[in-house]
Amino acid sequence: MRFVPAGDLALSVEFAEEISVEINTRVRALEYLIQQKGVPGVVETVPGYRALLVYYDPAVTAYETLCEALRGLAAQTESAVLPSPRHVEIPCCYDDPELGFDLAGAAERLALTPAELVRLHTAAEYLVYFIGFAPGLPYMDLPDRLTIKRLDTPRTKTPPGSVSIGGTQCCIYPLESPGGFWVLGRTPLKLYDPAAAEPTLLRAGDRVRFVAIGRAEFDRIAASAPERADGSPGARESK
Amino acid sequence: MIRILEPGPLTTVQDRGRFGQLRYGIPPSGPVDRRAFAIANRLVGNDDTAAALECTYMGPRFEVDEACAIAVTGAPAPVTVNREPAPGWTTIVLRPGDQVRVGAPKAGVYSYIAFSGGIDVPVVFGSRATYIRGRLGGVEGRGVRAGDVLKSGPASAPERRRTVDPRSIPDFVGEPQIRVVLGPQADRFTEDGIAALLGGAYEMLPQSDRMGARLRGPRIGHVRGHDIISDGIPLGGIQVPGDGQPIVLLVDRQSTGGYTKVATVCSIDIARLGQVKPGQRLTFRAIDVAEAHHLLREDAAFLARAVREEKP
């Protein structure tokens, strides 16, 4: 583990140079311990795969003092008990070429039938390592069997809600954006909703499962615009 | 009420920023030039949390329907009240029906207009700041438009005009030296790469915006490639993709990314960097964290004395 300055308002606590559930759990544990214990001067934190970026107010704490406090907490991350994860089910319509426009192509590339690909994709449980890059965008991994080279030519526009795979990652686009991932389907849920009580559907540490739905169900949910303002997560929490 | 008659190319409502949301992928936003923004608010008697307008390259034309005080700071834009020139960096007292135009600055990029009482738009996730990519905050998450009517809070205009010590008014001309702290991934660059960053001059490119400043200059070479395992991007993080050209991430930045970051611009110099116009150049100099914190303390003390009441 090491501490590295990231300018004069932040520092990065790096646990290891690898992507693994174990290391990411320590990152999230450090964030949790900071929230629980309250470290003077910490403004906010941003988890990544293997590092926690800690923003601080230098008018409140000195760099060395903060490192010392964080070192003490980091030592507890292996034994820390995190709150049990939220299990979130995300409905996804795969079997409509208008929504899952890369399903057939990705299946062919992986030497699977589209039905087999959907079955494997819905059978897995995905860890949200962290949220980043865009509001509400989850960084999730992928079963080895579904590892797939990214699109040769990234598309300039991917619709919001697109459930997609690329490299060793599974991703859901919260906003219309360019992208090089294969779009297998689309969820009618909003990953990011500036009008909701909580801006994003998912958080770091969530466990996600995809549930295949038909086009009629997709349209029904999309039309009812699931309201998250009441505190419900929009997606069904299965536990 | 403030009625927008012409918005300017990009004018947004900003406050100090939206903190605590980066872990959800939502950037802090807020003003690029925090210093000019804070001074504008102090000139009209607001505290530092009030919302004001940030103008890009050119300001708006607007009308007020009640007496209030305004102040224009940042990039030195010409100001007129009912077509009569009015000063920047000074409290301007307006009467009902006055029409104000803030023009194009002769240097710099961002000008600020503060209104006594602050601009009252809904607070979203703890802030009034506009984040356009996320359609969040400000006026419906967008820049202001002609016809928009903005409410300003209950006016508490200072009784006396306030002005700013001329020494604390930057002119934004020339080739500024921007101070950086090396890292978090300085060890992913060659010695020559670091020497290029700290030795050469970099030109601001027109694709720059509130998300990031794109620069062109001496190539910054990597060791072991330009990709890292994605992690958080600090304010001022200097990301270097495979082409060796730096991108400085600013207030509307993406929260995380997978490019190596050679250095991080000191928070005190974010404003100066953001005010560099496309086509102008800048250089970088490395300092350590302790010196950066020392500079911040000095600046806070300087700022506390910068705004003063005019003698009656």
Side-chain angles (χ1 to χ4, degrees), chain A residues 18-36:
Chain A
E18 65 180 51
I19 299 177
S20 69
V21 174
E22 187 209 342
I23 291 301
N24 177 253
T25 303
R26 295 192 62 188
V27 170
R28 286 183 289 106
L30 178 59
E31 180 174 57
Y32 178 69
L33 289 170
I34 293 170
Q35 286 167 1
Q36 292 300 303

Side-chain angles (χ1 to χ4, degrees), chain B residues 54-201:
Chain B
E54 179 181 89
C55 321
T56 319
Y57 295 121
M58 191 178 159
R61 189 164 64 86
F62 61 90
E63 192 176 272
V64 297
D65 72 349
E66 59 201 341
C68 64
I70 66 164
V72 182
T73 65
V79 183
T80 61
V81 176
N82 304 327
R83 295 173 187 275
E84 292 296 316
W89 301 86
T90 297
T91 315
I92 302 171
V93 176
L94 299 181
R95 291 158 309 180
D98 277 353
Q99 229 184 72
V100 179
R101 179 193 287 276
V102 176
K106 48 186 187 296
V109 177
Y110 299 104
S111 306
Y112 295 90
I113 312 171
F115 298 83
S116 50
I119 295 174
D120 188 16
V121 293
V123 173
V124 188
F125 308 127
S127 165
R128 296 185 165 89
T130 309
Y131 170 43
I132 289 185
R133 277 187 182 77
R135 306 181 313 276
L136 193 65
V139 182
E140 298 164 2
R142 56 169 173 79
V144 303
R145 291 179 189 153
D148 280 347
V149 174
L150 307 175
K151 235 168 54 182
S152 55
S156 54
E159 292 181 3
R160 270 187 226 148
R161 275 162 45 109
R162 292 180 182 184
T163 187
V164 171
D165 182 336
R167 284 173 305 166
S168 44
I169 301 180
D171 60 10
F172 302 125
V173 296
E175 191 175 290
Q177 190 179 61
I178 303 296
R179 288 157 291 193
V180 303
V181 173
L182 288 176
Q185 284 104 32
D187 56 353
R188 296 290 304 273
F189 293 85
T190 62
E191 261 179 52
D192 287 353
I194 305 272
L197 172 77
L198 301 176

Side-chain angles (χ1 to χ4, degrees), chain A residues 2 4-9 18 31 44-46 49-50 53 55-56 58 131-133 135-136 175 192 194 196-197 199-200, chain B residues 19-26 125 134-136 184 187 229-234 253-256 264 267 289 292-293 296:
Chain A
R2 63 171 191 161
V4 195
D8 57 352
L9 300 182
E18 65 180 51
E31 180 174 57
E44 60 183 305
T45 49
V46 184
Y49 281 115
R50 46 106 218 183
L53 186 65
Y55 286 85
Y56 64 95
I131 302 291
F133 194 72
L175 304 168
Y192 166 70
T200 65
Chain B
F19 299 100
Q21 304 291 328
L22 273 165
R23 60 194 302 275
Y24 303 111
I26 299 171
F125 308 127
R135 306 181 313 276
L136 193 65
D187 56 353
I229 297 174
S230 288
D231 65 6
I233 301 177
R253 68 191 175 279
Q254 62 273 37
S255 56
T256 64
T264 307
S267 54
V289 174
H293 287 168
L296 269 180

Side-chain angles (χ1 to χ4, degrees), chain A:
Chain A
M1 190 186 52
R2 63 171 191 161
F3 294 80
V4 195
D8 57 352
L9 300 182
L11 67 87
S12 179
V13 185
E14 301 182 346
F15 284 90
E17 196 62 39
E18 65 180 51
I19 299 177
S20 69
V21 174
E22 187 209 342
I23 291 301
N24 177 253
T25 303
R26 295 192 62 188
V27 170
R28 286 183 289 106
L30 178 59
E31 180 174 57
Y32 178 69
L33 289 170
I34 293 170
Q35 286 167 1
Q36 292 300 303
K37 314 259 163 142
V39 177
V42 171
V43 175
E44 60 183 305
T45 49
V46 184
Y49 281 115
R50 46 106 218 183
L52 184 70
L53 186 65
V54 179
Y55 286 85
Y56 64 95
D57 180 353
V60 177
T61 184
Y63 179 78
E64 293 302 335
T65 315
L66 180 59
C67 285
E68 216 37 62
L70 294 176
R71 194 166 312 181
L73 292 181
Q76 302 169 37
T77 53
E78 263 169 304
S79 55
V81 181
L82 283 161
S84 48
R86 304 190 312 162
H87 292 262
V88 183
E89 286 186 358
I90 295 190
C92 176
C93 178
Y94 296 91
D95 65 354
D96 187 322
E98 199 189 317
L99 306 179
F101 33 78
D102 295 325
L103 181 70
E108 197 187 325
R109 179 68 70 99
L110 293 166
L112 295 166
T113 65
E116 285 169 336
L117 174 50
V118 170
R119 191 178 53 76
L120 289 171
H121 194 255
T122 51
E125 188 183 65
Y126 301 85
L127 166 67
V128 178
Y129 283 82
F130 60 97
I131 302 291
F133 194 72
L137 190 151
Y139 280 69
M140 301 182 288
D141 54 8
L142 203 56
D144 291 342
R145 181 65 185 87
L146 300 186
T147 298
I148 185 168
K149 196 168 162 282
R150 293 186 189 195
L151 294 175
D152 293 329
T153 311
R155 60 173 60 81
T156 51
K157 281 183 180 176
T158 312
S162 291
V163 173
S164 56
I165 59 174
T168 58
Q169 281 178 286
C170 176
C171 156
I172 312 169
Y173 289 83
L175 304 168
E176 182 178 278
S177 34
F181 280 34
W182 301 76
V183 176
L184 305 185
R186 195 182 303 174
T187 177
L189 301 182
K190 290 177 179 171
L191 274 282
Y192 166 70
D193 182 357
E198 289 213 13
T200 65
L201 179 63
L202 296 172
R203 301 177 206 152
D206 285 350
R207 303 297 198 280
V208 168
R209 271 179 192 282
F210 294 98
V211 179
I213 56 169
R215 180 62 194 253
E217 178 75 350
F218 176 93
D219 290 337
R220 192 189 60 75
I221 300 175
S224 69
E227 196 47 69
R228 288 190 281 119
D230 60 358
S232 85
R236 218 165 50 235
E237 277 192 54
S238 60
K239 225 190 245 173

